[in-house]
Amino acid sequence: MSFYVVGTPIGNLEDITMRAIAVLSSVDLVLCEDTRVTSRLLERYHIQTPMLSYHTHSGASKVTAILKLLEAGKSVALVSDAGTPGISDPGSVLVAAVREKFPLLPIIAIPGPSAVAAALSISGLPSSDFLFLGFLPHKKGRETLFKEILASKRTTVFYESPHRILKTLEKLNTLLSPKRHVMVARELTKVYESIVAGSAPEVLTHFKEHADQVRGEFVVMVGPD
Ligand code: SAM
């Protein structure tokens, strides 16, 4: 029995390690969020390993079924739709369950891309340490996090969806001094990759004037106070 946690591309299917390909090819089962998304990756590398879905709405019975497979000696690789499992996606719940049930089982990381690291790496913002907030909550706790961003002496990074990006940029515009750097990394590694940088009003104006760019996937970064 082996349990691997495998980083996969965040857009460009070429961004995969040789080790990830070897593991995905050799395990008995690939656990993935959406089999349609992961099948594109597996097909690209001619990998025929069977898939089983494991996502946010998978209940306790799915976790139990996966633990049983491990108990039966199966080797399993966990991937997510994009990037590193467990970083703002359901991976960590399963990893915790595996750790609890099989404390001696090595859980092996096969590192790969993550949107947070890719965005920071091209930002030029201070990033020897940073505050990562994942997705901001829609309601409870949202205001508190904005206050945290406002006061932060570190670069703050969070993920945002196309449905909320304008709302979030408007909020940053009302809160932040125009001296603070805001950067939005969009569609990293994909055809329409872009990075928009400036003060909060400048970045907000950019997206208001380019409605075609209010789609896709976003990482938002705010420089330190
Ligand atoms: N586990 C993933 C990782 O390691 O990056 C993150 C999963 S989270 C469910 C998905 C969010 O990550 C997206 O909504 C977006 O905010 C960000 N993201 C993923 N791929 C991205 C990309 N290519 N460009 C920009 N942001 C991306």
Side-chain angles (χ1 to χ4, degrees):
M1 115 172 103
S2 322
F3 190 74
Y4 299 91
V5 180
V6 182
T8 58
I10 57 169
N12 187 325
L13 291 186
E14 312 256 302
D15 293 332
I16 189 157
T17 66
M18 293 168 78
R19 210 169 154 227
I21 295 172
V23 166
L24 294 174
S25 306
S26 63
V27 289
D28 295 308
L29 196 65
V30 174
L31 295 177
C32 56
E33 285 184 81
D34 183 336
T35 52
R36 287 164 304 180
V37 173
T38 299
S39 65
R40 284 200 283 277
L41 177 70
L42 298 190
E43 274 164 27
R44 166 73 180 73
Y45 292 99
H46 313 293
I47 297 169
Q48 288 174 347
T49 309
M51 291 174 283
L52 181 70
S53 74
Y54 171 76
H55 47 71
T56 320
H57 305 293
S58 296
S61 60
K62 193 62 163 276
V63 173
T64 307
I66 294 166
L67 295 176
K68 280 204 173 121
L69 287 167
L70 283 167
E71 205 160 28
K74 301 285 183 202
S75 57
V76 171
L78 172 68
V79 302
S80 48
D81 279 352
T84 299
I87 309 297
S88 300
D89 63 36
S92 57
V93 175
L94 182 62
V95 171
V98 173
R99 282 203 175 282
E100 193 184 341
K101 175 88 179 171
F102 307 110
L104 299 180
L105 174 71
I107 298 181
I108 300 159
I110 310 294
S114 188
V116 54
L120 271 177
S121 75
I122 55 167
S123 71
L125 292 169
S127 47
S128 53
D129 64 338
F130 60 90
L131 176 66
F132 176 56
L133 299 175
F135 287 101
L136 301 182
H138 293 184
K139 290 200 177 89
K140 199 161 175 276
R142 190 172 167 86
E143 289 298 318
T144 313
L145 283 179
F146 276 116
K147 282 188 194 135
E148 212 168 308
I149 296 170
L150 186 64
S152 182
K153 302 287 179 205
R154 297 181 169 93
T155 295
T156 308
V157 189
F158 56 93
Y159 289 159
E160 195 47 281
S161 76
H163 313 292
R164 307 188 67 83
I165 187 77
L166 278 179
K167 211 172 168 196
T168 295
L169 290 174
E170 299 214 357
K171 185 75 179 176
L172 291 177
N173 184 37
T174 60
L175 286 180
L176 292 178
S177 131
K179 286 193 192 129
R180 297 279 292 273
H181 289 288
V182 175
M183 284 196 182
V184 177
R186 173 176 169 264
E187 295 287 85
L188 290 166
T189 79
K190 303 187 204 176
V191 177
Y192 295 107
E193 169 169 352
S194 67
I195 192 151
V196 178
S199 63
E202 285 166 347
V203 173
L204 174 62
T205 304
H206 173 92
F207 281 100
K208 279 188 164 167
E209 288 177 355
H210 297 83
D212 59 316
Q213 292 181 21
V214 186
R215 61 169 80 127
E217 300 194 281
F218 301 88
V219 181
V220 181
M221 295 166 280
V222 180
D225 186 19

